[in-house]
Amino acid sequence: MSIQNTVSSWEQLLEIAQKNTPARRVRRPGQSPSTAPIPSSLHKLPPNTTPPVLLYRDTNSWCPFCERVWFALEEKEIPFETEFIDLSNKPKWYTDLVPTTLVPAAKIEGKLVYESKDILLTLEERFSNPPLLPEDPEENAVARQWVEDAETNGFRDVAYKFLRQTPVNNDELANLQATFEAKLDELEQALGKYPGPYFVSSFSLVDIMYSPHLDRLAANLPVYRGYHIKRNPRFPRINAWFEALNQRPAYHRVKSDDTTNNLLLRRRWGVSPVGNPLPLDVATSQEIQYQAEAAERLSDNREVAIGDILKNSGVQALAVNGDVSAVREAVDFHLRLLADYLINGNGAPLPWGRVAGKDNVDPFSAAVGAITLAYVRNRICAPRDMSAGAATAFRAAADKLLASIY
Ligand SMILES: N[C@@H](CCC(=O)N[C@@H](CS)C(=O)NCC(=O)O)C(=O)O
C-alpha cells in the first residue's frame, strides 16, 4: 500500500477536527487576510442587525494598538465587525476618513473615533457593562490618570529604543537597559498600589493599555537583547500580572504567540537576534483543543495554504520538467500528515520514518515535505491565522514531523 493512502482525506480530517474544537473563522476568498476571527459575542446579535461597532485594523493583526481595542471588545462582549486595512497600501477612502491615517479607528454607533486610547474610553462610555474602569471615584480617577500616563510616560519609547536601536558600544547598551529597567520599576511599583495582580483592584483599561506592548517586549528582549522580563526576580509583580492575564479567555483570543512576535521583529524591523529562538510557548491544559483548532484551520483553509506554499516557498524549483502537479501532490500529502498528526499525534508513532534496515524515504517527497513544513511553521501568524495557542500547537507538530523526515 502506498504511504499516500495511509493518511486520511481532507474531508475526514476536517470533520474530526471540527468535532474537537468549537473554534471557527470566516473565510474571505481572494482577500487578505484569507480568514477572520468571529467575535465571541456576535451570536448575541439578533439576525440581520448591524453590530454597534466597526473596527478598522491592520490586515496582519500585528498592530499592538489595534490589539488593545480588540481586547476591550472581547472583554466587554460587544458584537463588532472588522474592516481590514492594508498598511502598505492604505485605501484612499481610509486616509480621507481618518485624520491620522493610522489604525485602529472605529465607528462606534456610527461615530468615528481614532487613537486607541480614545476608542477605549468611548467604548467605556457607551458600553459600561462590564466596566473596565473602577466604580470607586478615587480609584477611577487613578485609573484614568494611568491610562493617560501609558501614552505619555515614555515607557514605549524607552523600551523600543533598548530593543531596536543599534548601540554604538556596550556602555550605550547598558544605559539603554538601565533606562528601560527604571521604567519597568515604575510599573512594578504601580502594580503594588492596589490589592490583586492588576494595576487597580480589578482588571481594567490600564492593563489593556500595557498588555500588547509588554507581551511583545517579553517575547523579543530575550532573543534580541538577551534580556528577560519573565522570571526576572526584579519584577515579581509584573510576572504575577502576566500570570493573571493568562487566565483571561479574551486575552487568549487576541494575543500573538512569542514566535509570531519574534519573526515580526526580524522581518518588519530588520533586527538581528543575539540569542537562540525562544522555546515554543509552554503547552497548556487546553493543548488538545488547540491542536484540533490548528488542524481545523489547516483543513478548512488548505487551498489557500497550498497556493501560498507553491507560490512563495521556493518548492516549485523541485518540479521535474516543469511538472508542478507532482509537487502539489506532495505538498498536499505533507499538509494532510500535519493535520493528521495534530489530531492523532500525542504519543502515537509518527506516520512515516525509516523502517529499521530499510531505506524507505522517497527523496523527492522528503524534500518537498521538508520545505512545506519549514515554510508553514514560520509562515503562520497568530492571531491573524489562528489563536496563539493553536499556532503554538501547529509549530510544535510541524517541528516533530520535520525532525522525522530524514
Ligand atoms: N497612537 C496611535 C498609534 C497607532 C499606530 O501607530 N498604528 C500603526 C500600526 S501599529 C499604523 O497605523 N501605522 C501605519 C502608518 O504609520 O502609516 C494609537 O494609539 O492608536
Side-chain angles (χ1 to χ4, degrees), residues 142-185:
V142 172
R144 283 180 186 275
Q145 186 57 50
W146 283 354
V147 167
E148 297 298 326
D149 291 351
E151 288 303 82
T152 54
N153 64 8
F155 172 74
R156 280 203 316 273
D157 282 356
V158 163
Y160 287 118
K161 260 192 197 144
F162 175 42
L163 179 63
R164 290 186 202 141
Q165 186 167 300
T166 312
V168 275
N169 54 36
N170 282 346
D171 283 352
E172 192 187 344
L173 183 61
N175 278 339
L176 291 170
Q177 177 173 326
T179 317
F180 171 62
E181 286 179 311
K183 284 284 170 204
L184 283 183
D185 287 340

Side-chain angles (χ1 to χ4, degrees), residues 120-383:
L120 293 178
L121 291 171
T122 309
L123 289 175
E124 196 56 28
E125 199 182 294
R126 307 299 307 168
F127 305 90
S128 49
N129 213 4
L132 289 179
L133 283 173
E135 272 158 34
D136 172 74
E138 212 179 295
E139 197 176 332
N140 184 291
V142 172
R144 283 180 186 275
Q145 186 57 50
W146 283 354
V147 167
E148 297 298 326
D149 291 351
E151 288 303 82
T152 54
N153 64 8
F155 172 74
R156 280 203 316 273
D157 282 356
V158 163
Y160 287 118
K161 260 192 197 144
F162 175 42
L163 179 63
R164 290 186 202 141
Q165 186 167 300
T166 312
V168 275
N169 54 36
N170 282 346
D171 283 352
E172 192 187 344
L173 183 61
N175 278 339
L176 291 170
Q177 177 173 326
T179 317
F180 171 62
E181 286 179 311
K183 284 284 170 204
L184 283 183
D185 287 340
E186 286 174 20
L187 296 188
E188 184 70 19
Q189 278 229 318
L191 282 164
K193 184 170 165 78
Y194 291 98
Y198 298 117
F199 280 92
V200 289
S201 42
S202 53
F203 177 77
S204 76
L205 294 184
V206 187
D207 304 297
I208 289 183
M209 290 296 284
Y210 284 105
S211 80
H213 295 287
L214 277 167
D215 249 354
R216 282 157 180 72
L217 291 163
N220 291 159
L221 285 170
V223 177
Y224 291 89
R225 284 289 175 259
Y227 185 85
H228 292 259
I229 302 178
K230 289 199 175 160
R231 287 176 287 284
N232 185 333
R234 180 164 168 171
F235 309 114
R237 293 193 189 110
I238 295 178
N239 275 279
W241 177 81
F242 274 124
E243 284 302 312
L245 283 183
N246 238 334
Q247 309 303 318
R248 307 193 74 83
Y251 174 71
H252 284 279
R253 294 178 72 85
V254 307
K255 78 190 282 282
S256 307
D257 66 323
D258 286 350
T259 306
T260 297
N261 283 330
N262 281 326
L263 289 170
L264 177 61
L265 199 72
R266 195 185 74 200
R267 289 184 191 143
R268 169 76 180 76
W269 300 96
V271 187
S272 304
V274 296
N276 291 325
L278 285 182
L280 290 175
D281 299 4
V282 178
T284 66
S285 56
Q286 285 155 18
E287 194 183 359
I288 290 177
Q289 285 99 304
Y290 282 138
Q291 286 168 331
E293 181 187 336
E296 196 276 340
R297 286 293 76 234
L298 180 57
S299 310
D300 190 57
N301 209 29
R302 60 194 181 255
E303 288 307 328
V304 174
I306 293 168
D308 179 41
I309 294 161
L310 289 175
K311 184 160 172 247
N312 297 315
S313 72
V315 73
Q316 289 210 39
L318 297 180
V320 180
N321 299 328
D323 176 14
V324 180
S325 63
V327 178
R328 168 180 272 275
E329 206 177 299
V331 169
D332 182 288
F333 167 67
H334 286 89
L335 290 183
R336 275 189 292 132
L337 270 183
L338 179 56
D340 200 349
Y341 184 66
L342 277 161
I343 294 170
N344 299 314
N346 290 331
L350 289 169
W352 79 65
R354 285 166 194 263
V355 174
K358 269 191 178 180
D359 201 4
N360 65 342
V361 174
D362 164 10
F364 171 79
S365 179
V368 173
I371 293 173
T372 299
L373 292 166
Y375 180 77
V376 291
R377 193 254 189 227
N378 277 11
R379 172 66 166 164
I380 55 152
C381 186

Side-chain angles (χ1 to χ4, degrees), residues 23-43:
R24 298 286 183 276
R25 290 168 71 107
V26 188
R27 276 201 224 167
R28 297 162 33 92
Q31 299 178 74
S32 178
S34 62
T35 65
I38 302 171
S40 61
S41 51
L42 206 58
H43 66 275

Side-chain angles (χ1 to χ4, degrees), residues 63-65 68 87 90 101-104 114-117 151 156:
C63 167
F65 305 96
R68 287 174 171 172
L87 296 187
K90 289 183 222 169
T101 79
L102 302 176
V103 290
Y114 47 92
E115 285 295 314
S116 57
K117 181 199 75 177
E151 288 303 82
R156 280 203 316 273

